[in-house]
Amino acid sequence: MEEHVVATTDELSQGERKLVEIEGREIAVFYVNGEHRAYTNWCAHQSGPVCEGKLTGTSNAEFDRDSLTVDLDWCKEGEVLNCPWHGWEYDVTDGSCLSKDKVRLPSHSVKVEGDEIIITL
Amino acid sequence: MSETAKHATSETTVIDADVHITVEEETVAKYMDEPYRSSITESPHPIFPSSSWDQRMGGKIDDHFSTFTSAGDLLTFQKEFDIEYPIINMFEPLGKFSQPDLAVNLMQAYNNLLFDQFLDDHDFLGLASIATQKPDKAAEELDRVGDEDQIVGVYVGTSGEYPPLGDPEYDIIFQAAEDNGLPIVYHGNGDEFMFDFPIHNRGFNNYFEVQTLGHPWQQMATMSSLIGEGVPEKFPELDFVFLESGIGWVPYMMHRMNKIYHMRRSEVPLLEKSPEEYLRDSFYFGSQPLGEPNDPAHMKQIIGMIGADNLMFATDYPHWDFDHVEELDKYLRNYFTEEEREKVLYETPAEAFNLSL
């Protein structure tokens, strides 16, 4: 395991990311909701460059059986990473896929020391 | 009906998910209220719409249809085909009728006829017809007839119904079916192809082309609508049965909907799992008309993909493209275990239709 300084904290504002190459691997570090998260730029679907996709919100829905109405909710604004190839959705705060259980983006340990963002790989 | 030789299922209990009663227009009219009864009996113009395709090719295929009208005919069929439990329906797809009130009255008439001529004096099992033009009336009808033990499902044509059959407009029907413990049974129709696909109906030059596409297109549209609208998630206790499209389209739709779901999940946010999981949990498929691959091993693979928990046997008797039980049973005997065979012929339909036989 080796530590890699990939960015300084002032480079990443809320909702921003930096894509770097470490030992031949493309890795992105995101800054969302006060946390840094790092993932390999690889979608579980067809290996697309998921970390280059848009960060958006997404829809949630609940059905009330008595009134037969659907309550649509736009939620997780800025927390949903959409693969630019086919739109697979991932929760950027934990890497989980929103449409498939047990599928997660390959994640990496991130820490901040001083103003340096460090990924361990 | 010709005499058939004793076959492998003579020692096996068989449920047939799709047996059609032929009901003459004048016969159902007797169960209708005015002014709708006279609309059927007195109008110089046909009220029952039909396309002009000749399904039996000038008589080259025998007409079993016209003479299959009574409880006695059904008893004869049971004996000849070794079918212990035929699940009967009144066949007519009601979505094709232009007048909503007439369709509603026809729905009630078909159900009253079903009781009067078939269920009251015999232990047959039947499906309640519904017309979807007025969903609240269909739900009322299910509450009227749904608690009768011999009513084991809800019969819905998939030709002419609009909007597509998963639309929230029909939630009141799903709610009533679920409350009454009845699966919804979808049945397409080649002759009614023109109501859903009028441009193609005009363009094709022979019934081969229409029959090839009519049923699967109608059923695919229905399945896509049900999943896309999240109906199995809204009504988790409700089951869905698809008849008369064969089974080859099922793996195709399963896999295709899985793919599109993962790419467009936020568009169908009611769904909590993959389309394939919903199909395996609550959808059932009648075998007829079973496709005829040149290599029988290919049918083994298709049956295997769907599995014995979701597949059931159906004849579609007395229609021109009916399947004898041997059509499916030859694959079950040759390629599957006796346990799986019994599931398909008996246990799976018993589960789908909530039968306690």
Side-chain angles (χ1 to χ4, degrees), chain B residues 219-268:
Chain B
Q219 299 293 50
M220 286 175 173
T222 299
M223 178 185 280
S224 179
S225 178
L226 289 171
I227 296 295
E229 299 292 341
V231 178
E233 190 61 45
K234 290 173 170 176
F235 303 96
E237 301 303 317
L238 189 58
D239 287 329
F240 309 88
V241 177
F242 285 77
L243 299 178
E244 206 174 335
S245 294
I247 58 173
W249 65 285
V250 176
Y252 172 81
M253 286 293 286
M254 204 181 260
H255 303 156
R256 182 166 175 78
M257 288 192 300
N258 279 352
K259 190 177 187 84
I260 296 173
Y261 167 63
H262 292 303
M263 297 191 289
R264 307 186 69 87
R265 188 214 63 86
S266 62
E267 200 172 52
V268 288

Side-chain angles (χ1 to χ4, degrees), chain A residues 22-42:
Chain A
I22 305 173
E23 297 172 1
R25 295 159 73 176
E26 287 188 14
I27 291 171
V29 57
F30 293 83
Y31 184 61
V32 176
N33 299 345
E35 302 276 346
H36 293 92
R37 303 283 177 192
Y39 302 105
T40 297
N41 189 19
W42 183 87

Side-chain angles (χ1 to χ4, degrees), chain B residues 4-16:
Chain B
T4 52
K6 197 171 177 69
H7 38 79
T9 55
S10 57
E11 305 298 324
T12 312
T13 305
V14 177
I15 295 172
D16 181 348

Side-chain angles (χ1 to χ4, degrees), chain B residues 9-72:
Chain B
T9 55
S10 57
E11 305 298 324
T12 312
T13 305
V14 177
I15 295 172
D16 181 348
D18 189 22
V19 178
H20 299 290
I21 302 299
T22 304
V23 182
E24 297 288 343
E25 296 174 16
E26 295 72 21
T27 305
V28 73
K30 290 174 188 163
Y31 292 84
M32 296 177 75
D33 301 317
E34 292 293 5
Y36 312 109
R37 180 193 304 156
S38 293
S39 296
I40 305 295
T41 58
E42 304 302 323
S43 172
H45 310 291
I47 298 296
F48 279 59
S50 177
S51 67
S52 57
W53 298 109
D54 176 13
Q55 297 191 34
R56 283 182 287 276
M57 297 184 293
K60 283 171 67 68
I61 300 177
D62 268 2
D63 172 23
H64 308 283
F65 175 83
S66 303
T67 55
F68 199 74
T69 58
S70 70

